[in-house]
Amino acid sequence: MSKYKFERIVNAEFSGISLRALLSEKWLLPRKFIHFLRIRENVKINGNYYPMNTIVQGNQKIELIFEGDEFRTATSNYIVDKGRKIPIIFENEDLLVVNKPQGIKSHPNQPYETGTLMNYIAGYLDVKDEHPYKHPYMVHRLDMLTSGAMIVAKNPVVVPILTRLISTHTIKRDYLAVTEGIFDQKEGVIDLPIGKDENDKRKRKVDGIGALPARTHYQVIKEFGNNSVVYLRLETGRTHQLRVHLSAMGHPIVGDVLYNHVSEEKHMMLHGYKQKLTLPFSMRELELKADIPKYFTNYEEKVKESKN
Protein backbone atom coordinates (compact mmCIF):
# COMPACT_ATOMS: atom_id res chain seq x y z
CA MET A 1 0.00 0.00 0.00
CA SER A 2 1.46 3.34 -1.09
CA LYS A 3 2.24 6.13 1.31
CA TYR A 4 1.12 9.64 0.44
CA LYS A 5 3.31 12.48 1.57
CA PHE A 6 1.94 16.01 1.32
CA GLU A 7 3.52 19.35 2.00
CA ARG A 8 1.24 22.36 2.25
CA ILE A 9 1.83 25.93 3.38
CA VAL A 10 -0.38 27.54 6.02
CA ASN A 11 -2.40 30.48 4.65
CA ALA A 12 -1.57 33.77 6.38
CA GLU A 13 -5.25 34.15 7.39
CA PHE A 14 -5.04 30.85 9.31
CA SER A 15 -2.35 32.17 11.69
CA GLY A 16 -3.10 31.85 15.38
CA ILE A 17 -5.26 28.71 15.35
CA SER A 18 -4.34 25.27 16.62
CA LEU A 19 -2.97 22.56 14.38
CA ARG A 20 -6.12 20.53 15.09
CA ALA A 21 -8.35 23.43 14.02
CA LEU A 22 -6.28 23.90 10.87
CA LEU A 23 -6.68 20.25 9.89
CA SER A 24 -10.35 19.86 10.81
CA GLU A 25 -11.98 23.29 10.41
CA LYS A 26 -9.93 24.90 7.65
CA TRP A 27 -8.60 21.98 5.64
CA LEU A 28 -11.68 19.79 6.33
CA LEU A 29 -9.78 16.56 6.87
CA PRO A 30 -11.99 13.75 8.25
CA ARG A 31 -11.62 12.81 11.92
CA LYS A 32 -10.21 9.42 10.93
CA PHE A 33 -7.39 11.10 8.99
CA ILE A 34 -6.57 13.39 11.91
CA HIS A 35 -6.65 10.50 14.37
CA PHE A 36 -4.05 8.52 12.43
CA LEU A 37 -1.91 11.59 11.76
CA ARG A 38 -1.81 12.20 15.53
CA ILE A 39 -1.22 8.69 16.89
CA ARG A 40 1.41 7.94 14.23
CA GLU A 41 3.02 11.37 14.57
CA ASN A 42 2.62 11.71 10.83
CA VAL A 43 1.95 15.44 10.86
CA LYS A 44 4.89 17.83 11.14
CA ILE A 45 5.39 21.59 11.26
CA ASN A 46 8.56 22.71 9.48
CA GLY A 47 9.91 19.18 9.73
CA ASN A 48 9.10 18.47 13.41
CA TYR A 49 6.19 16.75 15.14
CA TYR A 50 4.15 18.91 17.54
CA PRO A 51 0.97 18.19 19.54
CA MET A 52 -2.40 19.01 18.01
CA ASN A 53 -2.92 22.03 20.27
CA THR A 54 0.17 23.75 18.86
CA ILE A 55 -0.59 27.18 17.38
CA VAL A 56 0.30 27.47 13.71
CA GLN A 57 1.53 30.54 11.89
CA GLY A 58 1.20 31.69 8.30
CA ASN A 59 3.77 30.35 5.80
CA GLN A 60 4.71 27.40 8.00
CA LYS A 61 5.17 24.13 6.10
CA ILE A 62 2.84 21.34 7.20
CA GLU A 63 3.88 17.83 6.24
CA LEU A 64 1.18 15.12 6.17
CA ILE A 65 1.98 11.44 5.72
CA PHE A 66 -0.79 8.92 5.06
CA GLU A 67 -0.14 5.18 5.28
CA GLY A 68 -3.09 4.26 3.02
CA ASP A 69 -5.39 2.49 5.50
CA GLU A 70 -7.03 5.83 6.31
CA PHE A 71 -8.79 5.90 2.95
CA ARG A 72 -12.08 4.33 1.92
CA THR A 73 -10.52 3.74 -1.52
CA ALA A 74 -6.77 3.72 -1.20
CA THR A 75 -5.90 2.75 -4.76
CA SER A 76 -7.27 3.72 -8.14
CA ASN A 77 -7.58 0.75 -10.47
CA TYR A 78 -9.01 2.26 -13.63
CA ILE A 79 -7.47 0.70 -16.73
CA VAL A 80 -5.34 3.19 -18.64
CA ASP A 81 -6.96 4.19 -21.92
CA LYS A 82 -5.13 6.70 -24.12
CA GLY A 83 -7.60 6.50 -26.97
CA ARG A 84 -9.18 9.90 -26.38
CA LYS A 85 -8.08 13.28 -25.08
CA ILE A 86 -10.44 14.94 -22.60
CA PRO A 87 -10.50 18.77 -22.50
CA ILE A 88 -8.93 20.06 -19.28
CA ILE A 89 -10.48 23.23 -17.83
CA PHE A 90 -8.28 23.44 -14.74
CA GLU A 91 -5.56 21.35 -13.12
CA ASN A 92 -3.38 21.56 -10.03
CA GLU A 93 -1.51 19.01 -7.93
CA ASP A 94 -4.70 17.72 -6.27
CA LEU A 95 -7.41 17.69 -8.92
CA LEU A 96 -8.60 18.29 -12.45
CA VAL A 97 -11.78 19.85 -13.74
CA VAL A 98 -12.56 18.43 -17.17
CA ASN A 99 -15.17 19.15 -19.82
CA LYS A 100 -16.77 15.73 -20.14
CA PRO A 101 -18.03 15.03 -23.66
CA GLN A 102 -21.53 13.74 -24.19
CA GLY A 103 -21.83 10.04 -24.97
CA ILE A 104 -19.17 8.58 -22.67
CA LYS A 105 -19.77 7.17 -19.21
CA SER A 106 -18.20 8.81 -16.18
CA HIS A 107 -16.75 5.53 -14.88
CA PRO A 108 -16.69 1.81 -15.65
CA ASN A 109 -19.46 -0.46 -14.39
CA GLN A 110 -17.86 -3.76 -15.35
CA PRO A 111 -14.43 -5.33 -14.70
CA TYR A 112 -11.86 -4.55 -17.40
CA GLU A 113 -14.14 -1.91 -18.96
CA THR A 114 -12.46 0.96 -20.80
CA GLY A 115 -13.66 3.91 -22.84
CA THR A 116 -15.03 5.89 -19.89
CA LEU A 117 -13.95 9.31 -18.64
CA MET A 118 -12.00 7.83 -15.72
CA ASN A 119 -10.12 5.49 -18.07
CA TYR A 120 -9.18 8.41 -20.31
CA ILE A 121 -8.06 10.51 -17.33
CA ALA A 122 -5.98 7.55 -16.13
CA GLY A 123 -4.35 7.59 -19.57
CA TYR A 124 -3.75 11.33 -19.36
CA LEU A 125 -2.16 11.14 -15.90
CA ASP A 126 -0.09 8.12 -16.89
CA VAL A 127 2.08 10.24 -19.19
CA LYS A 128 2.52 13.13 -16.76
CA ASP A 129 5.72 11.78 -15.25
CA GLU A 130 6.41 14.96 -13.29
CA HIS A 131 3.44 14.32 -11.03
CA PRO A 132 3.97 11.92 -8.09
CA TYR A 133 0.32 10.77 -7.98
CA LYS A 134 -0.85 9.56 -11.36
CA HIS A 135 -4.27 8.09 -10.65
CA PRO A 136 -7.82 9.47 -10.91
CA TYR A 137 -10.39 9.20 -8.12
CA MET A 138 -14.14 9.73 -8.44
CA VAL A 139 -15.66 12.75 -6.69
CA HIS A 140 -19.01 13.04 -8.48
CA ARG A 141 -20.41 11.86 -11.81
CA LEU A 142 -22.36 13.06 -14.82
CA ASP A 143 -24.86 10.99 -16.76
CA MET A 144 -23.57 9.46 -19.97
CA LEU A 145 -25.65 11.85 -22.08
CA THR A 146 -24.71 14.93 -20.03
CA SER A 147 -21.66 16.99 -20.96
CA GLY A 148 -19.74 19.59 -19.01
CA ALA A 149 -17.59 20.38 -16.00
CA MET A 150 -16.66 17.43 -13.80
CA ILE A 151 -14.16 17.27 -10.93
CA VAL A 152 -11.67 14.39 -10.77
CA ALA A 153 -9.36 14.01 -7.76
CA LYS A 154 -5.73 13.01 -8.27
CA ASN A 155 -5.27 11.40 -4.87
CA PRO A 156 -7.46 9.83 -2.16
CA VAL A 157 -6.64 12.55 0.40
CA VAL A 158 -8.72 15.24 -1.29
CA VAL A 159 -11.73 13.04 -2.14
CA PRO A 160 -13.54 13.48 1.23
CA ILE A 161 -12.62 17.18 1.26
CA LEU A 162 -14.18 17.74 -2.15
CA THR A 163 -17.19 15.60 -1.26
CA ARG A 164 -17.80 17.75 1.82
CA LEU A 165 -17.40 20.97 -0.16
CA ILE A 166 -20.03 19.72 -2.62
CA SER A 167 -22.45 18.53 0.09
CA THR A 168 -22.28 21.87 1.91
CA HIS A 169 -22.83 23.75 -1.40
CA THR A 170 -19.46 25.48 -1.09
CA ILE A 171 -18.69 24.03 -4.49
CA LYS A 172 -21.60 25.03 -6.73
CA ARG A 173 -22.50 23.29 -9.98
CA ASP A 174 -24.55 25.14 -12.60
CA TYR A 175 -26.06 23.73 -15.79
CA LEU A 176 -27.66 24.86 -19.02
CA ALA A 177 -30.56 22.96 -20.53
CA VAL A 178 -32.79 23.39 -23.56
CA THR A 179 -36.30 22.25 -22.64
CA GLU A 180 -39.64 21.75 -24.30
CA GLY A 181 -42.22 24.52 -23.95
CA ILE A 182 -42.39 28.01 -22.46
CA PHE A 183 -42.36 28.42 -18.67
CA ASP A 184 -45.16 30.36 -16.97
CA GLN A 185 -42.80 31.25 -14.11
CA LYS A 186 -39.44 32.34 -15.44
CA GLU A 187 -37.52 31.46 -12.27
CA GLY A 188 -38.03 29.55 -9.08
CA VAL A 189 -37.15 26.46 -7.05
CA ILE A 190 -38.28 22.94 -7.87
CA ASP A 191 -38.64 21.16 -4.52
CA LEU A 192 -39.79 17.62 -5.25
CA PRO A 193 -38.42 14.42 -3.65
CA ILE A 194 -36.92 11.87 -6.03
CA GLY A 195 -36.81 8.08 -5.73
CA LYS A 196 -36.55 4.99 -7.91
CA ASP A 197 -39.11 4.24 -10.60
CA GLU A 198 -40.76 0.93 -9.75
CA ASN A 199 -41.50 0.25 -13.41
CA ASP A 200 -38.08 0.98 -14.92
CA LYS A 201 -34.82 0.42 -13.04
CA ARG A 202 -33.05 2.90 -15.32
CA LYS A 203 -35.26 5.78 -14.26
CA ARG A 204 -36.07 7.94 -11.26
CA LYS A 205 -39.35 9.65 -10.49
CA VAL A 206 -40.88 12.21 -8.16
CA ASP A 207 -42.07 10.47 -4.96
CA GLY A 208 -40.60 7.20 -6.19
CA ILE A 209 -39.32 4.32 -4.06
CA GLY A 210 -37.05 5.56 -1.25
CA ALA A 211 -37.59 9.17 -2.31
CA LEU A 212 -35.14 11.71 -0.88
CA PRO A 213 -35.44 15.53 -0.78
CA ALA A 214 -34.29 17.21 -3.99
CA ARG A 215 -34.09 20.93 -4.79
CA THR A 216 -33.22 22.62 -8.07
CA HIS A 217 -33.01 26.36 -8.71
CA TYR A 218 -33.93 27.42 -12.24
CA GLN A 219 -34.02 30.59 -14.34
CA VAL A 220 -35.21 30.90 -17.92
CA ILE A 221 -32.63 32.94 -19.81
CA LYS A 222 -33.89 32.61 -23.40
CA GLU A 223 -36.85 31.40 -25.43
CA PHE A 224 -37.02 30.39 -29.08
CA GLY A 225 -39.72 28.55 -30.99
CA ASN A 226 -41.39 26.35 -28.42
CA ASN A 227 -38.18 25.88 -26.42
CA SER A 228 -36.62 27.48 -23.35
CA VAL A 229 -32.96 27.79 -22.40
CA VAL A 230 -32.81 27.30 -18.65
CA TYR A 231 -30.00 28.02 -16.19
CA LEU A 232 -30.00 25.45 -13.37
CA ARG A 233 -28.27 25.16 -10.03
CA LEU A 234 -28.23 21.96 -8.01
CA GLU A 235 -28.90 22.26 -4.30
CA THR A 236 -28.96 18.49 -3.90
CA GLY A 237 -27.43 15.86 -6.16
CA ARG A 238 -29.92 13.03 -6.73
CA THR A 239 -29.56 10.69 -9.67
CA HIS A 240 -31.14 12.27 -12.79
CA GLN A 241 -32.31 15.18 -10.62
CA LEU A 242 -32.42 17.87 -13.32
CA ARG A 243 -33.96 15.54 -15.86
CA VAL A 244 -36.67 14.35 -13.47
CA HIS A 245 -37.46 17.80 -12.08
CA LEU A 246 -37.81 19.44 -15.49
CA SER A 247 -39.93 16.57 -16.77
CA ALA A 248 -42.18 16.85 -13.71
CA MET A 249 -42.62 20.55 -14.48
CA GLY A 250 -43.89 19.66 -17.95
CA HIS A 251 -40.66 20.87 -19.57
CA PRO A 252 -38.51 17.79 -20.28
CA ILE A 253 -35.04 18.31 -21.70
CA VAL A 254 -34.76 18.18 -25.47
CA GLY A 255 -33.16 14.90 -26.55
CA ASP A 256 -33.68 13.12 -23.22
CA VAL A 257 -34.45 9.56 -24.30
CA LEU A 258 -35.68 8.52 -20.84
CA TYR A 259 -37.90 11.42 -19.83
CA ASN A 260 -38.88 13.09 -23.12
CA HIS A 261 -40.87 10.92 -25.52
CA VAL A 262 -41.61 13.60 -28.12
CA SER A 263 -38.13 14.87 -28.96
CA GLU A 264 -36.27 13.41 -31.92
CA GLU A 265 -33.07 15.38 -31.28
CA LYS A 266 -30.09 12.99 -31.05
CA HIS A 267 -28.23 15.07 -28.43
CA MET A 268 -29.53 15.56 -24.91
CA MET A 269 -29.42 19.31 -24.29
CA LEU A 270 -27.97 19.32 -20.78
CA HIS A 271 -24.52 20.74 -20.08
CA GLY A 272 -22.57 21.35 -16.87
CA TYR A 273 -21.69 24.91 -17.75
CA LYS A 274 -20.14 26.47 -14.68
CA GLN A 275 -18.52 25.50 -11.39
CA LYS A 276 -17.65 27.62 -8.42
CA LEU A 277 -14.69 25.57 -7.25
CA THR A 278 -12.99 25.77 -3.85
CA LEU A 279 -9.49 24.33 -3.88
CA PRO A 280 -8.54 21.98 -1.03
CA PHE A 281 -5.96 23.30 1.47
CA SER A 282 -5.66 26.83 0.07
CA MET A 283 -9.49 27.18 0.00
CA ARG A 284 -9.07 29.58 -2.89
CA GLU A 285 -12.22 30.06 -4.96
CA LEU A 286 -12.30 29.81 -8.74
CA GLU A 287 -15.12 30.21 -11.22
CA LEU A 288 -14.72 27.82 -14.12
CA LYS A 289 -16.72 27.44 -17.32
CA ALA A 290 -16.97 24.50 -19.69
CA ASP A 291 -17.32 25.43 -23.36
CA ILE A 292 -20.88 24.89 -24.60
CA PRO A 293 -21.13 22.15 -27.26
CA LYS A 294 -21.85 23.33 -30.80
CA TYR A 295 -24.99 21.19 -31.00
CA PHE A 296 -26.70 23.64 -28.60
CA THR A 297 -26.30 26.45 -31.14
CA ASN A 298 -27.01 24.14 -34.05
CA TYR A 299 -30.30 23.07 -32.50
CA GLU A 300 -31.47 26.66 -32.03
CA GLU A 301 -30.61 27.47 -35.63
CA LYS A 302 -32.43 24.37 -36.82
CA VAL A 303 -35.57 25.38 -34.90
CA LYS A 304 -35.43 28.92 -36.25
CA GLU A 305 -35.07 27.67 -39.83
CA SER A 306 -38.06 25.34 -39.41
CA LYS A 307 -40.23 28.29 -38.40
CA ASN A 308 -39.42 30.26 -41.55
Side-chain angles (χ1 to χ4, degrees):
M1 190 174 293
S2 300
K3 286 189 178 183
Y4 292 84
K5 180 179 178 181
F6 284 74
E7 292 181 354
R8 297 294 185 268
I9 303 298
V10 179
N11 291 20
E13 60 265 33
F14 297 161
S15 291
I17 64 174
S18 69
L19 177 59
R20 183 184 297 277
L22 175 72
L23 299 179
S24 64
E25 298 172 18
K26 302 301 182 183
W27 287 358
L28 306 181
L29 293 177
R31 290 182 180 179
K32 181 180 180 180
F33 287 14
I34 298 171
H35 169 73
F36 281 115
L37 288 170
R38 179 182 61 82
I39 64 172
R40 293 168 174 170
E41 298 190 358
N42 273 350
V43 54
K44 298 179 181 180
I45 303 174
N46 291 340
N48 298 300
Y49 174 77
Y50 292 94
M52 285 289 174
N53 60 359
T54 302
I55 302 301
V56 299
Q57 302 298 328
N59 296 318
Q60 286 181 323
K61 183 174 70 175
I62 307 297
E63 182 182 300
L64 307 173
I65 300 172
F66 298 95
E67 305 288 342
D69 55 354
E70 303 93 338
F71 308 130
R72 179 178 296 180
T73 304
T75 59
S76 172
N77 298 312
Y78 299 108
I79 297 173
V80 169
D81 188 339
K82 300 181 181 180
R84 184 169 183 172
K85 291 184 178 180
I86 302 298
I88 307 296
I89 303 170
F90 173 82
E91 180 177 6
N92 70 3
E93 58 195 326
D94 290 322
L95 60 87
L96 306 102
V97 179
V98 302
N99 190 352
K100 174 191 167 299
Q102 185 179 87
I104 65 171
K105 293 161 60 174
S106 290
H107 57 84
N109 298 112
Q110 303 295 331
Y112 310 111
E113 185 176 0
T114 59
T116 77
L117 180 86
M118 297 303 284
N119 297 121
Y120 294 134
I121 298 302
Y124 167 74
L125 294 176
D126 187 60
V127 300
K128 292 179 68 65
D129 295 332
E130 74 275 12
H131 197 284
Y133 309 120
K134 299 189 292 184
H135 306 288
Y137 291 81
M138 284 291 300
V139 176
H140 66 108
R141 61 182 294 275
L142 294 177
D143 297 336
M144 181 174 177
L145 296 180
T146 304
S147 59
M150 181 171 156
I151 302 169
V152 180
K154 285 185 174 181
N155 60 70
V157 178
V158 298
V159 171
I161 300 173
L162 291 165
T163 300
R164 184 171 172 183
L165 290 169
I166 290 173
S167 67
T168 57
H169 316 303
T170 305
I171 290 176
K172 294 180 170 61
R173 295 170 290 158
D174 297 348
Y175 294 76
L176 286 177
V178 180
T179 69
E180 307 284 357
I182 304 301
F183 286 68
D184 294 329
Q185 275 189 289
K186 303 307 179 187
E187 62 181 292
V189 179
I190 307 171
D191 191 352
L192 298 170
I194 294 175
K196 295 181 179 179
D197 188 324
E198 66 275 13
N199 298 315
D200 190 336
K201 65 181 182 180
R202 301 172 302 164
K203 298 174 67 175
R204 300 294 186 269
K205 63 183 289 188
V206 169
D207 292 323
I209 297 171
L212 295 171
R215 285 172 61 88
T216 300
H217 298 256
Y218 75 92
Q219 180 181 8
V220 177
I221 60 175
K222 189 175 186 180
E223 297 169 348
F224 61 92
N226 192 41
N227 296 119
S228 300
V229 180
V230 190
Y231 192 88
L232 303 153
R233 172 166 288 178
L234 287 172
E235 188 171 320
T236 52
R238 309 304 174 203
T239 299
H240 295 181
Q241 178 173 318
L242 299 177
R243 301 166 68 181
V244 172
H245 271 174
L246 289 168
S247 178
M249 291 279 286
H251 300 288
I253 297 171
V254 170
D256 188 338
V257 294
L258 284 182
Y259 302 100
N260 184 351
H261 303 299
V262 301
S263 176
E264 296 181 355
E265 172 60 33
K266 66 179 181 178
H267 297 288
M268 185 170 76
M269 298 294 177
L270 179 62
H271 178 67
Y273 175 56
K274 186 188 296 184
Q275 281 196 356
K276 180 184 175 185
L277 177 66
T278 300
L279 299 177
F281 300 109
S282 74
M283 296 300 157
R284 182 164 64 97
E285 293 184 352
L286 300 174
E287 186 173 281
L288 306 172
K289 293 181 180 179
D291 290 341
I292 300 170
K294 290 182 179 179
Y295 51 78
F296 270 69
T297 304
N298 293 344
Y299 179 77
E300 182 176 348
E301 292 302 318
K302 184 170 64 175
V303 170
K304 288 179 178 178
E305 288 175 5
S306 69
K307 301 299 180 182
N308 294 332

